[in-house]
Structure formats: C-alpha cells, structure tokens
Amino acid sequence: MASTTPFRSGTRLAEIRHTPAQVRVITAAFGLFAEYGVAGTSLQMIADAMGVTKAAVYHQFKTKDEIVIATADHELVTLEAAVENAEAAPSRVEARRVLLLQLVDFSVRNRAQVRAWQGDPAMMRVLAKHEPFSGLTKRMFALLADDDSDTDWSIPAAMLAAAITAVGQPALAALDPEVLRQRVFHYACRLLDLHD
Amino acid sequence: MASTTPFRSGTRLAEIRHTPAQVRVITAAFGLFAEYGVAGTSLQMIADAMGVTKAAVYHQFKTKDEIVIATADHELVTLEAAVENAEAAPSRVEARRVLLLQLVDFSVRNRAQVRAWQGDPAMMRVLAKHEPFSGLTKRMFALLADDDSDTDWSIPAAMLAAAITAVGQPALAALDPEVLRQRVFHYACRLLDLHD
DNA sequence: GTCTATAATGTGATAGAC
DNA sequence: GTCTATCACATTATAGAC
C-alpha cells in the first residue's frame, strides 16, 4: 500500500511511469502543440500524426487535458534535473551559472517546442494548476534571486525566461546550435550582470 | 537619415478604415485572443462578449482570419508610429533609444495582449503572411542593427523582442506601470550594451 | 445592423467488436 | 491496443426576414 511517500517539500518528482504507447502519443502531441498551439491541435490531428484513430489515442489518455499534462511532465523531467544540478553547486554564483547554462542548452535543443510551451495560453492554464511546474519555477527563481543585494529579481527573471525562449523564433532557425548556445548564454549573462 | 524616407516600397500604411461596428468586434476579439489564444477563441465567444449574435459578427468580417488580421492591423498602427518616430531621430544612437523607449512603453500599456500577440502560433501564422507586419519588423531590425560593427544582431534582437514582451507575464501583473517601464527599459539597454 | 434559422463540418468523448 | 461506429455538441459559414 501507499505509505508516506518520501517526496521532499511537497514537490513530487517528475518520474512518472508512461507506457511506450503513451510516450508515442506524448511525442506526437508535443510536436503539434508547438506548431499549432494546444487549442489549435485536435485529437484527430494527433491520431493522424500517429497513423491511428482517435479512439486509440483515447485508450491511452481519457481527456485532452491529460495529454497536455503528460507532455508537460515529460519535459519537466529534464528541467528538474537541471535545477537539481544547479542546487548541488558549491556556491551561489556557481549555481546560477550552472542553471543558466542548462536552461540555455535545454532551450536550444528543443527550440520551437520551448517557445510554444511558455507562450500558449492553453498550455499555461493547465501548467498553472500543476504543482510540479509551479514548484520547479519557485526553485529556479530562488536560485536566481539568492544574493546579498535587495534587488527585486522578478523583472529580470521574467525577462530572462522570455529571452532564452527566443531561440525558438523562426528567424534563428537556420543558426548553428553551438553558436546559438554560446551567444544566448552570453547575452543572458549580460542581462543578469554576470560574467560569462 | 531622416531626409531619405520616401522608402515606403510596397509597405502600406496601417491607416485602414474600420467602421465603429468593426472596431467593437476588434476590441472584443483582441481581449479574448490574449486570454484564450486565437485558436481557443470561437466566434460565439466574441459575439457573447459583445452582447450580439454570431451572425452580427459575421456581417462585419467574412471569416475568422479577417478578424485576426484586423486586430493585428489595429495594433500595427501604434507600432508603425513608433518606428517612424525612431526613423526621424537625428542620430543612429538616438534612433535606437527612441525605438526602445516606445517599444517598452507600448508593451507595458498593453501587457497581456502583447505577450499573446507574439506567442500564439495561430496569430504568428497569419502575421507571417501579412506584409505590413513583416515590413515593420524589417524596419525595426534595421534600426537596431544599424551600427559600425560587424556584429550579428539577429540573436540579441530576437532576445530583446521576447524579453520586452515578458511584461505580460502574470507574475508581473501587480507591478506599477511606471516602475515596470523604467526597469524593463534598463534591462533592455543592458542586453543591447547601451547606456540608459 | 441585427436577428432567426439552418447547413455542413469538426470536436471531444463513449461503446463494443476484434 | 486498435478498430468501426456513433453520440451530443460546438464550430465556421450562409440565407433571408425585420
């Protein structure tokens, strides 16, 4: 039976079990969400992309919202690992550096998906009610704002998050990933007044 | 620089005639687009927000895409004015400064709308095929990149555009507009290595 | 300009056969 | 797990009355 789960501070680990069939739905759905938005993606489009019928998709997830949450959880695993790496850093300055590097790396590797992920109202509506997401956001914010000064970090943090996801813009699609990684990291450091 | 401005080749002025009834549709639609996204907003929702029926909305615009384009044009008038003000500046440094100030001011005044405007895939799909928008984007980019160095401005320009629209994030909703304006401008200048 | 009525299609979702 | 078939409802869109 389910005894008291060893989750630390209410934040559940995003290590959720998904069957291979569910992962296929998640992969197809996430790509379509990035291209057409959550509201602009129908179950029929997901089924067509997988080469199956709507009912087959419904056998894996009971509702469309469950698919949205599952795609989010699937990505949150990577973000959670990045945050945990940063939290394990020896100093606060180093922790910020590690977090930034990993956020940039994560965004560059996903590009368009990351941009849609934070821009879509329908996606944000479900993520706002999703504890693992809000918990991760708080931990990231704490890492960024944890310094001696009495600066209000809410504005630069919000601008940083938005600026990093700019890697998904069509105008930058042709750029080499390594160049993009380095230069986005450089400008992100400048935004936060860090040395890179 | 201001003397050589007869360059309106193909770029139509966004002074498009809209009847009062059409403006009422545009206003209602744009608010809903910001909250639910374009794909997540139905004609029924627009009609309900206006207190009329669907057919009354259809009488003003033949298709949903026409409503999307009309809302864009309605906002582009303000952006166009900002670009023209910047282009009329006496120097390149001053032109950039004027453009930045007006972009920030415009974004703060609209907040959530601006964020949805550039984040929604459905909105971007119609704007990409819309010449007045791509023309304005090119003129803004030219103002930002117009300097002596051989720097590639595509990355910081994309990050800047995204960072400015961060003013629409829910976490910053409670902040005083004037504070938001000043601090976003400050960080935007830092991103571009300008003095503010 | 706004209404009622309706067409044609797409939507999320369910039931039951294989 | 996937399929066919179907449901109730919402969607874009049209036609014609007031």
Side-chain angles (χ1 to χ4, degrees):
Chain A
M1 295 297 288
S3 57
T4 41
T5 41
F7 294 145
R8 52 160 191 275
S9 68
T11 310
R12 294 176 298 134
L13 269 171
E15 297 294 353
I16 299 171
R17 301 271 284 176
H18 284 136
T19 68
Q22 284 177 321
V23 172
R24 271 158 50 216
V25 175
I26 290 170
T27 304
F30 196 54
L32 290 166
F33 289 165
E35 192 169 357
Y36 303 101
V38 171
T41 301
S42 70
L43 291 176
Q44 187 66 63
M45 292 164 73
I46 298 174
D48 289 348
M50 298 174 62
V52 299
T53 62
K54 272 194 301 180
V57 177
Y58 260 97
H59 187 262
Q60 305 300 334
F61 297 99
K62 288 195 226 307
T63 75
K64 188 181 178 182
D65 273 5
E66 278 187 28
I67 299 178
V68 177
I69 292 176
T71 60
D73 283 336
H74 207 247
E75 300 301 309
L76 286 177
V77 175
T78 310
L79 264 189
E80 187 179 58
V83 170
E84 282 167 358
N85 278 343
E87 286 173 339
S91 73
R92 300 184 296 192
V93 171
E94 187 64 18
R96 263 195 293 237
R97 196 186 133 82
V98 169
L99 180 63
L100 251 190
L101 272 171
Q102 295 204 268
L103 284 179
V104 171
D105 185 65
F106 174 74
S107 300
V108 169
R109 252 204 289 271
N110 294 277
R111 300 236 195 172
Q113 286 90 343
V114 166
R115 183 138 188 275
W117 182 61
Q118 93 139 26
D120 195 312
M123 183 72 88
M124 291 311 288
R125 183 160 289 114
V126 54
L127 284 184
K129 297 178 183 174
H130 196 43
E131 202 281 324
F133 175 73
S134 57
L136 263 187
T137 303
K138 275 180 193 141
R139 286 162 75 187
M140 281 194 281
F141 189 83
L143 284 168
L144 285 176
D146 184 21
D147 69 346
D148 312 323
S149 73
D150 55 353
T151 311
D152 173 23
W153 281 87
S154 63
I155 292 177
M159 292 177 70
L160 175 76
I164 289 181
T165 65
V167 298
Q169 280 180 208
L172 306 182
L175 287 177
D176 174 65
E178 188 53 38
V179 172
L180 196 55
R181 215 186 320 265
Q182 287 175 3
R183 299 205 59 207
V184 169
F185 179 69
H186 170 258
Y187 288 108
C189 286
R190 175 179 285 178
L191 181 63
L192 293 184
D193 210 9
L194 304 177
H195 53 280
D196 62 324
Chain B
M1 173 178 229
S3 54
T4 59
T5 32
F7 166 57
R8 292 286 178 274
S9 58
T11 310
R12 294 176 301 135
L13 270 171
E15 297 295 352
I16 299 172
R17 300 269 285 175
H18 283 138
T19 68
Q22 284 177 322
V23 172
R24 271 157 49 216
V25 175
I26 289 170
T27 305
F30 195 52
L32 290 167
F33 289 166
E35 191 168 357
Y36 303 101
V38 171
T41 302
S42 71
L43 290 176
Q44 187 66 64
M45 292 164 75
I46 298 175
D48 289 347
M50 298 173 63
V52 300
T53 63
K54 277 189 299 179
V57 177
Y58 260 98
H59 187 261
Q60 305 300 334
F61 297 99
K62 291 194 225 303
T63 74
K64 189 181 178 184
D65 273 7
E66 278 187 29
I67 299 178
V68 177
I69 291 175
T71 59
D73 283 336
H74 208 246
E75 299 301 308
L76 285 177
V77 174
T78 311
L79 263 189
E80 187 178 57
V83 170
E84 282 166 358
N85 278 343
E87 286 173 340
S91 73
R92 299 184 296 190
V93 171
E94 188 62 18
R96 263 194 294 236
R97 196 185 134 82
V98 170
L99 180 62
L100 251 190
L101 271 172
Q102 295 203 266
L103 284 179
V104 171
D105 185 64
F106 174 74
S107 301
V108 168
R109 252 205 289 272
N110 293 278
R111 298 235 195 172
Q113 287 92 341
V114 167
R115 182 137 187 277
W117 182 61
Q118 93 138 26
D120 195 312
M123 184 71 89
M124 289 310 289
R125 182 158 291 116
V126 53
L127 285 184
K129 297 179 182 174
H130 198 44
E131 201 281 325
F133 174 73
S134 56
L136 262 187
T137 303
K138 275 181 191 139
R139 285 161 76 186
M140 281 194 281
F141 189 84
L143 284 169
L144 285 176
D146 185 22
D147 69 346
D148 311 323
S149 74
D150 55 355
T151 310
D152 174 23
W153 281 87
S154 63
I155 292 177
M159 292 177 71
L160 174 77
I164 289 180
T165 65
V167 298
Q169 279 181 208
L172 307 181
L175 288 176
D176 174 65
E178 189 53 39
V179 172
L180 197 54
R181 215 187 319 267
Q182 287 175 3
R183 298 206 57 210
V184 168
F185 179 69
H186 170 257
Y187 288 109
C189 287
R190 175 180 284 180
L191 181 63
L192 293 184
D193 209 11
L194 305 176
H195 52 279
D196 62 324

